[in-house]
Amino acid sequence: MLAKTLSQQEAQVRDVQLGQLSECKVLTEDEVVELASKCKELLQQETNVTHVRAPVVVVGDTHGQFHDLMEIFKIAGNAPDTNYLFLGDYVDRGYYSLRPCAWL
């Protein structure tokens, strides 16, 4: 469990950003940098091995395919209602390759 979580205000900002991303709207460079910084801060508190509660949806390499990722969430459900394990390769091939990384 993370020792530090998002404040209510931070969570509201992230919800707005998720809404923008789900509508394929672009986040500003400053928003992406801030989001990456917050992710880094939270992930540094994580252990190398994470226990994932079953049931879990295992998602292979998304390769920046944002619309495919949105379809996975549409079919399996949104986090935190559904547990996910992403295997990596979030960006590189798709036109929207930064959006999956920002969404996750």
Side-chain angles (χ1 to χ4, degrees), residues 18-79:
L18 286 174
Q20 287 176 258
L21 289 168
S22 67
E23 295 172 4
C24 284
K25 294 181 180 173
V26 178
L27 296 178
T28 67
E29 182 178 346
D30 288 341
E31 288 175 313
V32 172
V33 168
E34 178 191 350
L35 185 60
S37 175
K38 188 56 156 179
C39 288
K40 179 181 175 183
E41 179 184 323
L42 292 173
L43 289 173
Q44 285 177 329
Q45 298 175 45
E46 289 282 334
T47 60
N48 287 338
V49 177
T50 301
H51 298 277
V52 180
R53 271 185 298 155
V56 62
V57 177
V58 179
V59 181
D61 301 346
T62 59
H63 293 291
Q65 299 299 323
F66 182 72
H67 296 289
D68 292 346
L69 180 63
M70 292 297 95
E71 189 66 20
I72 290 168
F73 285 122
K74 182 179 173 183
I75 292 168
N78 287 317

